[in-house]
């Protein structure tokens, strides 16, 4: 009898139904190039830190620079036993599509990219809604009637920023002259500060007195160049109003921190689901930034922007998708 009791105890301890994954093997986050870019990746880091603070659960982290590194990193985490892998950025689409098929029991969350597989959650943003609001601000604040847009590269998220901005400008300044440029066609455009600086100077020479920079880390050079010339810049992703106070009109917020936090929290609580999720104004996934750094610049604009934001969130004001606007194609 004692032997049977011991045997039953051992079986119960190793039973698959009772086994639990160690907390240090539940989660991993993969960043692109850096965790402290003052924008997209840093926002994801904030979401991770919030999750860790609230739950006390740690997560493995890695920084990758190429698609090959992304594939290798995911495979390593999956082989190690990680069950939930969070990736930041559209550049991981191909890598996720490959590795998610190899590990169907692992949950992958891709922020700002889309992969349609049964074990992948794709989180996309309605960037055009936030861009519409900062476009309104640009149209109202411009003294010359010429406003600029500088995007990193013409990928869907940046095109949504561009087209929302165009619609917002035209809503408040139908006669505005719009100057639109892209830094390049490769992912390194998001880090090319020299190109961003030169392009901003060109737009200033062409009369732009307000320029929206949707270019990640490179966009900071646009804001710096506009400020040095006594003009106004508009930041992106995170609140960049304080970088050059008095010269950043506002920022188009993209709440990557919210997306990262919710994905990790859902996985921790057993509520993670695959599929595509969209975060816009109604979901508090995008917004425009107002604080003490830009209070004097937007004091007269805020009521119109707040009204428009409420109308977009409520569905009475529609921001048209980029593919439906001829000038955005």
């Amino acid at each position: 009898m004692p032997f049977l009791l011991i045997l039953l105890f051992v079986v119960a301890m190793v039973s698959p139904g009772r086994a639990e994954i160690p907390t240090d093997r539940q989660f991993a986050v993969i960043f692109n190039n850096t965790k402290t870019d003052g924008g997209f990746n840093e926002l994801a880091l904030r979401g991770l830190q919030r999750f860790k603070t609230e739950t006390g659960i740690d997560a493995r982290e890695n920084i990758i620079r190429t698609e090959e590194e992304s594939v290798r990193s995911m495979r390593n985490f999956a082989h190690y036993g990680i069950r939930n892998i969070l990736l930041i950025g559209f550049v991981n689409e191909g890598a996720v599509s490959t590795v998610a098929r190899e590990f169907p029991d692992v949950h992958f969350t891709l922020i700002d990219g889309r992969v349609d597989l049964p074990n992948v959650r794709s989180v996309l943003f309605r960037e055009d809604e936030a861009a519409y609001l900062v476009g309104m601000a640009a149209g109202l604040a411009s003294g010359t009637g010429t406003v600029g847009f500088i995007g990193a590269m013409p990928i869907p998220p940046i095109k949504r920023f561009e087209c929302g901005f165009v619609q917002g400008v035209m809503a408040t300044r139908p006669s505005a002259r719009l100057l639109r440029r892209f830094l390049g066609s490769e992912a390194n455009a998001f880090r090319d500060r020299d190109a961003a600086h030169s392009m901003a100077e060109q737009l200033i020479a062409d009369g732009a007195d307000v320029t929206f920079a949707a270019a990640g880390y490179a966009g900071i050079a646009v804001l710096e160049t506009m400020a040095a010339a006594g003009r106004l810049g508009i930041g992106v992703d995170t609140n960049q109003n304080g970088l050059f106070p008095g010269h950043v009109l506002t920022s188009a917020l993209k709440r990557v921190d919210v997306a990262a936090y919710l994905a990790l929290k859902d996985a921790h609580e057993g509520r993670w689901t695959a599929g595509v999720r969209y975060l816009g104004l109604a979901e508090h996934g995008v917004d425009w930034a107002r604080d003490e750094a830009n209070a004097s610049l937007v004091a007269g604009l805020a009521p119109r922007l707040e009204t428009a934001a409420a109308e977009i969130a409520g569905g009475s004001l529609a921001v048209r998708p980029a593919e439906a606007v001829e000038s955005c194609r």
Side-chain angles (χ1 to χ4, degrees), residues 52-201:
K52 290 164 67 173
T53 298
E54 291 185 5
T55 64
I57 294 175
D58 203 355
R60 300 296 171 119
E61 302 174 25
N62 196 18
I63 297 173
I64 57 94
R65 291 172 177 79
T66 67
E67 182 173 344
E68 292 74 17
E69 289 182 5
S70 181
V71 168
R72 185 164 58 250
S73 182
M74 279 187 283
R75 283 174 176 160
N76 288 341
F77 280 136
H79 283 305
Y80 180 70
I82 297 292
R83 312 319 299 159
N84 300 279
I85 302 177
L86 176 68
L87 298 100
I88 316 301
F90 76 98
V91 295
N92 292 291
E93 284 182 342
V96 170
S97 182
T98 296
V99 181
R101 287 182 169 90
E102 299 173 1
F103 299 92
D105 295 331
V106 175
H107 294 160
F108 297 84
T109 296
L110 177 59
I111 295 179
D112 214 36
R114 178 167 181 168
V115 173
D116 295 310
L117 288 173
N119 59 330
V120 178
R121 172 185 288 189
S122 302
V123 183
L124 302 175
F125 296 86
R126 294 189 173 96
E127 296 94 346
D128 47 0
E129 295 182 353
Y132 186 97
L133 299 177
V134 303
M136 288 182 64
L140 292 168
S142 176
T144 65
T146 299
V147 299
F149 171 87
I150 296 178
M153 56 187 296
I155 56 174
I158 304 300
K159 290 295 290 182
R160 288 193 290 270
F161 271 129
E162 177 196 17
C163 198
F165 182 71
V166 169
Q167 293 177 73
V169 170
M170 299 309 292
T172 54
R173 195 76 169 266
S175 62
R177 178 176 171 231
L178 283 156
L179 306 177
R180 292 177 279 171
R181 306 285 188 274
F182 291 93
L183 298 178
S185 58
E186 302 294 336
N188 60 7
F190 285 92
R191 304 187 298 277
D192 196 341
R193 289 176 59 103
D194 290 339
H197 171 75
S198 297
M199 196 164 285
E201 287 189 326

Side-chain angles (χ1 to χ4, degrees), residues 160-317:
R160 288 193 290 270
F161 271 129
E162 177 196 17
C163 198
F165 182 71
V166 169
Q167 293 177 73
V169 170
M170 299 309 292
T172 54
R173 195 76 169 266
S175 62
R177 178 176 171 231
L178 283 156
L179 306 177
R180 292 177 279 171
R181 306 285 188 274
F182 291 93
L183 298 178
S185 58
E186 302 294 336
N188 60 7
F190 285 92
R191 304 187 298 277
D192 196 341
R193 289 176 59 103
D194 290 339
H197 171 75
S198 297
M199 196 164 285
E201 287 189 326
Q202 292 173 15
L203 295 192
I204 290 170
D206 288 338
D209 61 348
V210 185
T211 294
F212 176 30
Y217 180 67
I220 297 175
V222 175
L223 302 182
E224 182 179 31
T225 305
M226 297 299 292
R231 310 296 176 91
L232 294 172
I234 296 175
V236 76
D237 294 339
T238 189
N239 184 350
Q240 298 178 323
N241 296 349
L243 292 180
F244 307 98
H247 293 286
V248 180
L249 179 61
T250 183
S251 298
L253 302 180
K254 188 170 175 176
R255 300 301 303 275
V256 178
D257 54 333
V258 172
Y261 168 76
L262 290 177
L264 294 166
K265 185 170 183 285
D266 284 352
H268 173 57
E269 297 178 351
R271 295 186 291 105
W272 186 96
T273 54
V276 180
R277 291 196 173 189
Y278 291 91
L279 300 180
L281 282 167
E283 297 80 17
H284 308 290
V286 301
D287 204 349
W288 69 285
R290 53 280 202 197
D291 56 21
E292 64 279 359
N294 72 334
S296 62
L297 296 175
V298 300
L301 319 178
R304 289 191 63 174
L305 270 62
E306 294 288 5
T307 297
E311 291 174 346
I312 293 171
S316 61
L317 174 59

